[in-house]
Amino acid sequence: MRIFILLFFATLVNISFSQERAIRISGKVFLDSIPREAAVVTIISNLKETSGITNQKGEFSFEGITLKKEEDSIVITSSYFGYLPFKKTYTLNKQNSLLIDIHLQGDIQKLDEVIIKDNGKAITKDVNKLSYQIQRKNFIKNTKAPDVLNTVPSLSYHKSKGVTIEGDRGAKIYVDGLETDITDLETIDVSEMEIVEVLYNPSARYGAEFTGGIINIVTKKREKLYYKGFLKGGKGVLLKSTSYMPQLTLKTNKFILKGYFIQQENRQEVNFDLDRQLLTTGESYIQQSFREPKVIQKWGSLKTKYELTETDNVFLNGSYVNNSAEGVFNGIFRTNSSIPIQFSNNKGNEYERFTANGVYEKKIKKNVLYIKGKYLMYSREDFYQIAENEVQQSALESKSQFDELSGEITYEIPSVNMLKKDVKLDVGTKYINRKYSFVDDPFSLRQNIVGLFSDFSFSFNKSYSLFTSLYYEYANNKNETLNQTLHYFLPTINLKHKIGKKSNLEASFSRRIMRPNSYDLNDNEILLNPGVIERGNEDLRPQTQNNYVLRYSKSLRNRGYLSVKAYYENIDNAILQSISQRGDVLIYSKDNIGQVKKYGVALGYNTTFFKVLMANTNIGLSYNKFESLGVQNSGATFYGNIFLSTRLLKNKLSLSFFGSTHNPKYDFISRTTTFPFTSLSASTNILKNKISLSLEYSDLFRLNSKIKTVIDNTALRQITNIRTNFSNINLNISYNFGDSFNDRYKEKLIRNTDIKD
């Protein structure tokens, strides 16, 4: 009977296969190991093609795919805009179902005006912007944004050195178009990052005083309801240091709340040696001291987004920073006519910054209206108590405060016809009210600023494109004795010529101003140490800086990138520091008395060796020339950063090396020599990636702790040697909880969503 039943079913199966058979195909589509919604999947057989898209979990499923009798394989393709297409043939081996995972990959692109991808797709972007697509597979799990930025062409980052572009320029950090603190980078995981945009020459609307670039991290968008976060703690081995950081994000359909808090405490070691020779009189002055300050740093941030309607969004952000340091300088000083005198300087300082800002976004058809507001409060307190031979000689407590209230209205038009060209146009205005004040000091200053701007970009043809920004600013500075009115026109121009498919030649110009701070403007004398007094100047005016850049860039194989830049900077009405003498005391003061010229070349190179070693380096050489009233100080400076990273043990262990140098540094009166900063780190994950471990040796062999400053002119020669030991081995452990989702705030474009001049 059993044999009869088996023969009966075998006959039915044979009849079925003699015509055609039905199968089921299902699986998931991943981008950088994260499931991707709305990816296209197509099943190709001899009978027909069947297509569909993935759901919110990245899943796809096809029922009833039919195959001919002789057919035992199918072709599956998948695509997602901005990623390389997937195509593969699968053999079924007579099975009636197939379960697969599809992993899509991206590529490096130059997002200037137009990106030409390997698959022929194009994305229109503004000129003068580099866009780098992040590949999750190049990093171990739980890697944070700081380590990712070090692999992006032209960028360098270390928490001890900050973020730089092309080796020596500062940067503002944006996340999905919203300006943020650099500490926010520690809360962004590589799995959330999609593209990093680098804007080399931003408009003056981002800051009339800002001469650096802008980094915008574009995160991946998902519609999920989750929570996530981590708890992180660290301990120093060589120096006494501790740190901890909790972070939490909550997300619903229309609401996002993200917050974190960081506290770090450490002790440093500072050795100070000074040798001064007065060339006019032959007198000498020598000082030696030691200090072991205690430094406490605190940061906190809370961000939220609420979607009012499909066209209206509100963004709110509040942050707080507190930094304090205290310790006693113990040392001796003497002149050639005196015996050594013991002194102590009980020195402390503390500053805090509070920021609250909000953005209202209104979409009007294809255009966008932004209404923005911001309040900033910065206060600083410095304390000095100097005693000679245990007898108090002088004491000073200086408290200053800076308040800023600002607002901005911006209207963005993605496409408008002007002079028979399709132009992207942004127009807007902003108002800033600032107040500088000193507690128990008559000095104060009020500043009112009104700015008008218009940015537009267009393409002449496939080879040439132009970005131009016109920014006008009116400023009024006023106190009891001063009423100063200033007018500035600060243009920005970027012209790009596309050479072939992979190379670009760019020329740019920008004008910026640099305003003196409250300490620069305060006329009162501050005794910093025995032998040194600092004094401001209420009559200081902003200095004007013109920047000219010529840049060639080319995309290379294996996601490589090469850039060469030549530049010239000229500062008129420069604020330079001068020295005068009163007995054994030097008085440092500032005035608009000079001109600064800077010529330089820079090289950037990014590549991957042997498919496992990522290398990113930016080096440059500049010639600096300071002139004032016939006095000149000039010289060449070499600067650069290098980052090397590799993965071992099947992507379970990450090793990286960071190096940085900027030597020597020049100003109007001095030359400062330093040694390179280096760092070596290792990271891994355990317990199903819930626990992250990292070990970092910062400032290897204490090389960067030595700083030598030389002043050499017709009146004096002074050599200062400072050894600040912050070399440390830090062990960090982090517990990661919650689901993996993205807390993106808005779309993928750099916006001026925060006012900061």
Side-chain angles (χ1 to χ4, degrees), residues 146 157-164 182 186 264 266 268 297 658 660 677-679 696-699 704 726-728 730:
Y157 173 80
H158 192 277
K159 59 186 177 182
S160 299
K161 300 297 178 181
V163 176
T164 59
I182 194 171
E186 296 286 346
Q264 296 180 348
N266 66 81
Q268 300 174 352
Q297 300 168 303
F658 177 86
S660 175
F677 172 86
T678 52
S679 174
E696 180 186 22
Y697 186 3
S698 181
D699 188 23
N704 195 239
F726 53 87
S727 176
N728 205 357
N730 292 286

Side-chain angles (χ1 to χ4, degrees), residues 5 13 82 105 121 154 177 187 238 334 344 361 367 380 394 479-480 505 509 572 650 690 700 723 755-756:
I5 294 175
V13 171
Q105 296 182 357
K121 294 181 179 179
S154 76
T187 70
L238 299 182
R334 65 180 176 86
S344 65
E361 175 192 66
N367 307 329
R380 180 182 177 93
S394 61
N479 60 18
E480 293 182 356
L505 183 64
F509 166 78
D572 292 318
K650 297 182 179 180
K690 290 296 183 181
L700 302 177
R723 292 178 297 280
I755 304 168
K756 185 179 181 183

Side-chain angles (χ1 to χ4, degrees), residues 142-146 148 173-175 180 183-193 217 219 228 230 247 258 303 742-743:
N142 298 317
T143 299
K144 301 303 180 186
V148 180
I173 305 296
Y174 285 69
V175 177
T180 187
T183 50
D184 280 3
L185 296 177
E186 296 286 346
T187 70
I188 302 174
D189 193 87
V190 62
S191 63
E192 304 167 11
M193 301 173 65
I217 298 174
T219 61
K228 68 172 182 178
F230 60 83
Q247 190 273 329
K258 179 177 182 178
K303 299 181 179 181
N742 162 257
D743 44 28

Side-chain angles (χ1 to χ4, degrees), residues 498-542:
K498 187 172 182 60
I499 306 172
K501 294 183 178 181
K502 295 184 178 181
S503 301
N504 297 282
L505 183 64
E506 305 167 21
S508 63
F509 166 78
S510 63
R511 177 179 295 147
R512 298 292 184 267
I513 58 173
M514 284 154 281
R515 296 185 178 92
N517 60 40
S518 57
Y519 277 79
D520 293 333
L521 296 169
N522 188 5
D523 285 328
N524 293 322
E525 294 184 351
I526 300 176
L527 181 63
L528 300 178
N529 230 356
V532 177
I533 287 177
E534 188 176 84
R535 182 177 62 199
N537 182 355
E538 183 182 13
D539 296 325
L540 287 178
R541 297 168 61 90

Side-chain angles (χ1 to χ4, degrees), residues 51 282 288 292 375 415 534 630 668 680 688 706:
S51 297
Q288 298 175 338
E292 191 176 13
Y375 172 72
S415 179
E534 188 176 84
F668 174 56
L680 186 64
K688 297 182 179 180
K706 302 176 182 178

